[in-house]
Amino acid sequence: MGLLERLRKEWFILGIVLVIAVARLEPAVGVKGGPLKPEITITYIAVSAIFFNSGLSLKTEELTSALMHVKLHLFVQIFTLVFFPTAIWLFLQLLSITPINEWLLKGLQTVGCMPPPVSSAVILTKAVGGNEAAAIFNSAFGSFLGIVITPLLLLLFLGSSSSVPFTSIFSQLFMTVVVPLVIGQIVRRYIKDWLERKKPPFGTISSCVLLMIIYTTFCDTFANPNIDLDKFSLIIVVFIIFSVQMSFMFLTFLFSTRNNSTFTPADTVAIIFCSTHKSLTLGIPMLKIVFASYEHLSLISVPLLIYHPAQILLGSLLVPTIKSWMVSRQKAQKLTRQPKAPVKV
């Protein structure tokens, strides 16, 4: 249960950060011009540090065994980057006639455009005993795709400020995401043995940097005296987020276990988590780049900040149930494949 404890700990720490931010304790620390200087430390240094750390920790050799499972990869990536954002967009057309805060609704759309995470989907898949290699591959591959596809989806569904040129979005993403990731992989080749021997706390490092990004984002949100965030909209959005996650997890389960499906129970576990989880690590920095001059950037970020702990909490609660289903399904398949004993006359 160590993996689940790690997820719950991350969720608990994130909750503390949210409480501090909402309570407006020293909000100026995390806003532009404050002691943390987030316009520099967050926009450039923190984001680059996360992806350099990911490049160092990502074991590319573990992905080779899952590389040829093309059907599974197509399912996960199409569901995550095509079906998910399109379904959310259609759903939001109905919600647009409600009194829910329009910027929170736009934030829900940004959630749909995000790629799968590198951490939580893999950890939960491993906790259940599913196809961990497929989860690792799709999380990593989805993150690479997200660097290009997610900004395109955000611009397609939400547009961008005229003061943020399209080329500058990708150049900044390239310099703060792709370059540190590649450098991390190159450095890893030379110190691989040392990394395997010492096992640095990559997860803790990324979590700490990510918490700093989350904290400054919430400071930006709640330090604004003109923020228009009513409790009704926030409660409804939280309910929608949990409902969307449950619905999409059920959909992926149905699609991957239908009669003509070639997916194994272990594959289904990886599909459920990788297709429905969204990356906060890539998402928040990307929102800060794409919507850099949006007045309501902080409100747009709120649904993604809620979605992240929600997917960890919901996933960890469902682990025993999914594991029980997978084990029973594997036993049933094993029995059906055993040759029947000849009948004695």
Side-chain angles (χ1 to χ4, degrees):
M1 296 299 289
L3 295 170
L4 294 182
E5 288 302 320
R6 175 182 165 187
L7 287 172
R8 292 191 182 105
K9 183 179 179 181
E10 182 179 348
W11 180 83
F12 176 73
I13 294 174
L14 181 57
I16 294 175
V17 173
L18 303 189
V19 170
I20 293 174
V22 173
R24 304 188 183 191
L25 297 178
E26 300 294 339
V29 171
V31 299
K32 187 174 181 179
L36 292 181
K37 301 292 182 185
E39 64 273 18
I40 298 174
T41 58
I42 300 301
T43 305
Y44 298 102
I45 300 175
V47 176
S48 299
I50 283 179
F51 287 97
F52 175 74
N53 187 57
S54 296
L56 276 178
S57 61
L58 186 61
K59 297 180 180 179
T60 50
E61 60 271 18
E62 291 184 359
L63 309 181
T64 54
S65 62
L67 187 60
M68 300 309 294
H69 207 334
V70 178
K71 185 178 178 181
L72 188 151
H73 307 327
L74 284 175
F75 182 98
V76 171
Q77 301 306 327
I78 290 174
F79 190 96
T80 305
L81 297 172
V82 179
F83 177 82
F84 202 127
T86 304
I88 292 294
W89 181 81
L90 292 173
F91 181 51
L92 291 182
Q93 301 311 300
L94 298 175
L95 292 180
S96 62
I97 62 175
T98 66
I100 301 175
N101 187 292
E102 66 170 310
W103 299 105
L104 290 180
L105 294 181
K106 289 180 184 293
L108 285 173
Q109 183 64 69
T110 67
V111 171
C113 297
M114 294 300 154
V118 177
S119 56
S120 61
V122 175
I123 293 172
L124 288 168
T125 299
K126 185 175 183 178
V128 174
N131 191 336
E132 185 184 356
I136 292 172
F137 178 87
N138 279 282
S139 295
F141 184 57
S143 295
F144 279 110
L145 286 179
I147 294 171
V148 176
I149 296 179
T150 295
L152 291 174
L153 290 173
L154 291 172
L155 295 171
L156 173 65
F157 288 110
L158 298 173
S160 178
S161 171
S162 58
S163 62
V164 183
F166 188 79
T167 53
S168 72
I169 294 172
F170 287 99
S171 63
Q172 190 170 346
L173 281 173
F174 183 79
M175 293 305 297
T176 58
V177 176
V178 179
V179 172
L181 195 63
V182 172
I183 292 175
Q185 282 284 282
I186 293 172
V187 172
R188 179 181 173 81
R189 291 182 60 185
Y190 293 96
I191 61 172
K192 179 181 175 182
D193 293 338
W194 181 85
L195 292 174
E196 294 294 334
R197 188 170 61 254
K198 295 296 183 179
K199 298 186 183 300
F202 292 116
T204 302
I205 294 171
S206 290
S207 295
C208 290
V209 178
L210 184 58
L211 286 172
M212 182 179 175
I213 295 175
I214 294 170
Y215 176 72
T216 58
T217 302
F218 264 80
C219 285
D220 285 339
T221 301
F222 295 102
N224 183 358
N226 299 319
I227 186 173
D228 183 22
L229 180 58
D230 59 285
K231 293 180 181 179
F232 169 78
S233 294
L234 190 58
I235 292 172
I236 294 298
V237 165
V238 171
F239 174 77
I240 290 172
I241 285 172
F242 275 95
S243 300
V244 165
Q245 284 193 45
M246 287 296 296
S247 300
F248 282 2
M249 289 179 80
F250 183 65
L251 274 178
T252 55
F253 176 79
L254 287 181
F255 289 154
S256 59
T257 57
R258 63 189 189 278
N259 292 332
N260 60 344
S261 171
T262 58
F263 297 128
T264 66
D267 292 339
T268 296
V269 173
I271 287 171
I272 289 174
F273 291 123
C274 291
S275 299
T276 58
H277 281 210
K278 294 295 184 176
S279 175
L280 183 69
T281 306
L282 185 61
I284 291 298
M286 195 169 290
L287 290 180
K288 285 181 172 292
I289 294 171
V290 177
F291 301 110
S293 59
Y294 263 49
E295 180 184 354
H296 300 283
L297 169 62
S298 299
L299 280 178
I300 292 176
S301 305
V302 168
L304 183 58
L305 292 168
I306 296 172
Y307 196 95
H308 178 72
Q311 69 189 13
I312 293 173
L313 177 62
L314 188 59
S316 60
L317 289 175
L318 290 174
V319 161
T321 302
I322 297 175
K323 187 171 186 177
S324 177
W325 168 83
M326 187 191 73
V327 171
S328 61
R329 185 70 178 266
Q330 287 175 332
K331 288 181 179 178
Q333 289 184 348
K334 189 175 181 180
L335 289 174
T336 57
R337 289 171 185 169
Q338 288 180 349
K340 295 182 179 179
V343 180
K344 296 182 179 180
V345 180

